[in-house]
């Protein structure tokens, strides 16, 4: 019997990671079959979508293969070289977001220059070509320095907090010796980190989710609270308006995450930009009327955007990170015990091999009252640790409960 051919994809996505996997899940409800460019058949998205191109995001011909026949090409990461994307555009490929926008998520120095020109508040910074420029910057700010790789960093990679000027010089010298362009910034007197997630369509429609608080550990997000607690309404609205303005000014198509520092003085500074579905938006899969993944598909196809309202007063998301020593207990058994104890846990696993510190899934908890926040955060932390380690940190024993 003949097997029906795979329908022509409307959306092709570069990258086969968990963001592509969850975008594919959202695309199914819209009648789409997402095509992905994956490095291997074991990649999270390649496990679930029927239309997979195995290849590299740094190979022009592989990019052309995944884009062939699709209405739009989009991304689950920002690591495609800009010059290759410009060649795709010259070929007539509809790239979303376009390379002129995406470069602001790829190159931290380009992003800082543009944001400053647009009047967005950012930490004090300088491009560093040599150690003398670093020394001059450190003297100018008269405070601790963050040294960053201009391109390629994520989840804390390529970002180093210097203990003192000598340490800053050591970090910068190491980057520069490897041919890595360097950016120096002031270390901000930080109260917490926030994220303003928005989406924009080619038509120019924009939509914003509630601003969230993100909790980082060792440069990796471990928890998200939506909406950010104790954030004044006017400050939250200002962050949403800023993110929507940046999306429009930069020409973003799709989801844009604007990662923010809230200083102890109450000022909001832009830290990073991401032009794709983002870890800070995983709560939307269960806590919002339209998830970031469905919204991204809608946006790149120029559909009218969905309602971004929260469906409950508070949602807590916790990332499941691979343990230092993977537990002997199978994932199936860990899920069995988790659901026995916490039947309201909304679990999303990515089909990844467990490795120390690797994001292998996340879990969402929905609350009916912000007064439940402390309890929700504790439950989310317990659930994520259990899924990672197969151990309850509070000593809970299912055989005695």
């Amino acid at each position: 019997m003949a097997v029906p051919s795979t329908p022509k994809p409307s959306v092709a996505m570069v990258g086969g990671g968990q963001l592509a996997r969850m975008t594919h899940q959202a695309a199914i409800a819209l009648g789409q079959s997402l095509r992905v460019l994956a490095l291997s058949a074991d990649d999270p998205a390649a496990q679930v979508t029927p239309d997979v191109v195995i290849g590299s995001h740094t190979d022009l011909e592989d990019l052309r293969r995944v884009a062939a026949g699709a209405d739009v090409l989009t991304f689950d990461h920002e690591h495609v070289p800009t010059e290759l994307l410009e060649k795709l555009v010259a070929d007539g490929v509809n790239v979303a977001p376009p390379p002129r926008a995406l470069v602001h998520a790829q190159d931290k120095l380009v992003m800082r220059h543009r944001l400053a020109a647009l009047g967005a508040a950012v930490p004090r910074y300088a491009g560093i070509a040599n150690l003398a420029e670093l020394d001059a910057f450190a003297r100018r700010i008269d405070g601790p320095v963050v040294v960053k790789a201009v391109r390629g960093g994520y989840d804390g990679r390529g970002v180093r907090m210097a203990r003192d000027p000598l340490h800053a010089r050591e970090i910068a010298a190491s980057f520069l010796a490897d041919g890595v362009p360097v950016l120096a910034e002031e270390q901000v007197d930080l109260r917490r980190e926030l994220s303003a997630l928005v989406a924009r369509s080619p038509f120019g429609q924009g939509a914003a989710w509630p601003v969230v608080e993100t909790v980082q550990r060792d440069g990796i997000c471990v928890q998200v609270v939506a909406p950010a607690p104790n954030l004044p309404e006017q400050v939250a609205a200002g962050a949403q308006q800023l993110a929507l303005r940046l999306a429009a000014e930069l020409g973003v198509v799709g989801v844009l995450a604007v990662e923010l520092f809230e200083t102890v003085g109450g000022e909001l500074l832009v830290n990073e930009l991401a032009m794709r579905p983002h870890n800070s938006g995983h709560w939307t899969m269960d806590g919002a009327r339209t998830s970031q993944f469905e919204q991204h598909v809608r946006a790149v196809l120029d559909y009218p955007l969905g309602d971004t309202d929260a469906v409950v007063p508070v949602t807590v998301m916790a990332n499941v990170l691979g343990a230092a020593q993977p537990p002997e207990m199978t994932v199936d058994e860990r899920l069995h015990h988790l659901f026995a104890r916490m039947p309201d846990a909304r679990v999303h696993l990515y089909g990844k091999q467990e490795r120390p510190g690797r994001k292998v899934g996340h879990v969402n908890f929905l609350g009916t009252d912000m007064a439940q926040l402390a309890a929700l955060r504790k439950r989310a932390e317990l659930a994520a640790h259990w899924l990672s380690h197969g151990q309850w940190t509070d000593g809970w024993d299912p055989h005695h409960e």
Side-chain angles (χ1 to χ4, degrees):
M1 184 175 68
V3 177
S5 60
T6 303
K8 185 191 85 169
S10 291
V11 181
M13 182 168 266
V14 176
Q18 67 263 24
L19 300 180
R21 180 186 179 106
M22 291 182 279
T23 303
H24 172 69
Q25 292 168 334
I28 291 170
L30 301 180
Q32 303 294 329
S33 178
L34 194 74
R35 175 188 285 173
V36 299
L37 177 63
L39 290 173
S40 82
D42 294 329
D43 283 359
Q47 297 171 20
V48 298
T49 182
D51 198 352
V52 182
V53 173
I54 303 299
S56 170
H57 61 272
T58 61
D59 186 290
L60 179 59
E61 292 311 310
D62 290 343
L63 291 167
R64 283 173 168 153
R65 284 196 296 140
V66 76
D71 292 333
V72 62
L73 179 73
T74 189
F75 311 92
D76 96 334
H77 63 72
E78 291 109 343
H79 305 311
V80 184
T82 307
E83 60 272 18
L84 298 187
L85 294 178
E86 289 172 344
K87 289 179 180 178
L88 293 179
V89 171
D91 289 345
V93 175
N94 177 21
V95 177
R100 67 181 182 277
L102 189 63
V103 67
H104 298 93
Q106 295 174 317
D107 189 303
K108 293 180 176 63
L109 192 56
V110 170
M111 180 262 291
R112 282 281 178 260
H113 288 329
R114 184 69 187 280
L115 292 185
L118 292 173
V122 299
R124 288 179 292 174
Y125 72 95
I128 302 299
N130 54 61
L131 296 184
E133 291 182 350
L134 176 65
D135 293 340
F137 176 75
R139 287 193 299 270
R140 177 161 63 86
I141 68 165
D142 191 25
V145 173
V146 183
V147 181
K148 298 182 176 182
V150 168
R151 281 181 172 257
Y154 67 99
D155 281 349
R157 296 175 179 86
V159 177
R160 302 281 303 278
M161 310 287 283
R163 297 184 299 270
D164 51 46
L166 179 59
H167 188 216
R169 286 175 61 93
E170 292 172 357
I171 297 167
S174 176
F175 281 150
L176 292 170
D178 291 335
V180 176
V182 171
L183 169 71
E185 292 183 354
E186 64 176 329
Q187 288 189 29
V188 174
D189 195 3
L190 187 63
R191 179 184 174 215
R192 59 178 171 176
E193 295 189 49
L194 305 171
S195 178
L197 194 73
V198 299
R200 181 177 178 274
S201 70
F203 181 73
Q205 184 187 11
W209 287 272
V211 176
V212 303
E213 177 180 338
T214 66
V215 180
Q216 318 292 321
R217 186 181 302 141
D218 298 327
I220 300 176
C221 178
V222 294
Q223 196 173 95
V224 172
V225 179
N230 303 313
L231 185 67
E233 186 175 336
Q234 67 272 20
V235 176
Q240 291 174 313
Q241 290 163 5
L242 170 64
L244 288 168
R245 180 169 74 86
L246 293 179
E249 293 278 6
L250 300 179
V252 174
V253 173
V255 167
L256 168 69
V258 180
E259 299 179 56
L260 299 160
F261 292 141
E262 182 183 13
T263 70
V264 294
E267 186 181 10
L268 295 186
L269 305 177
V270 178
N271 176 30
E272 301 279 0
L273 302 179
M275 296 181 190
R276 51 172 169 75
H278 189 256
N279 199 182
S280 68
H282 288 354
W283 70 274
T284 64
M285 297 177 76
D286 301 298
R289 296 193 184 279
T290 306
S291 79
Q292 64 166 342
F293 299 102
E294 177 183 337
Q295 196 81 295
H296 190 73
V297 175
R298 288 194 189 207
V300 300
L301 289 175
D302 210 9
Y303 292 171
L305 300 181
D307 186 345
T308 51
D309 286 347
V311 298
V312 290
V314 58
T315 301
V316 176
M317 185 282 294
N319 276 320
V320 180
L321 305 177
Q325 183 65 42
E328 294 182 6
M329 186 184 297
T330 66
V331 173
D332 181 72
E333 190 174 356
R334 280 175 263 164
L335 282 172
H336 182 100
H337 286 286
L338 175 66
F339 289 142
R341 182 179 184 183
M342 302 177 177
D344 60 324
R346 311 292 182 89
V347 178
H348 303 272
L349 298 179
Y350 307 152
K352 287 182 169 182
Q353 288 293 112
E354 297 176 77
R355 294 203 301 262
R358 191 184 198 192
K359 292 176 183 173
V360 295
H362 69 271
V363 57
N364 288 330
F365 285 88
L366 280 60
T368 56
D369 194 306
M370 186 58 89
Q372 299 175 332
L373 177 57
L376 283 175
R377 295 183 84 152
K378 180 62 176 176
R379 296 180 78 227
E381 184 179 353
L382 283 169
H385 190 275
W386 168 258
L387 287 171
S388 296
H389 296 77
Q391 298 173 347
W392 292 111
T393 56
D394 61 351
W396 188 79
D397 184 347
H399 302 294
H400 294 286
E401 296 294 333

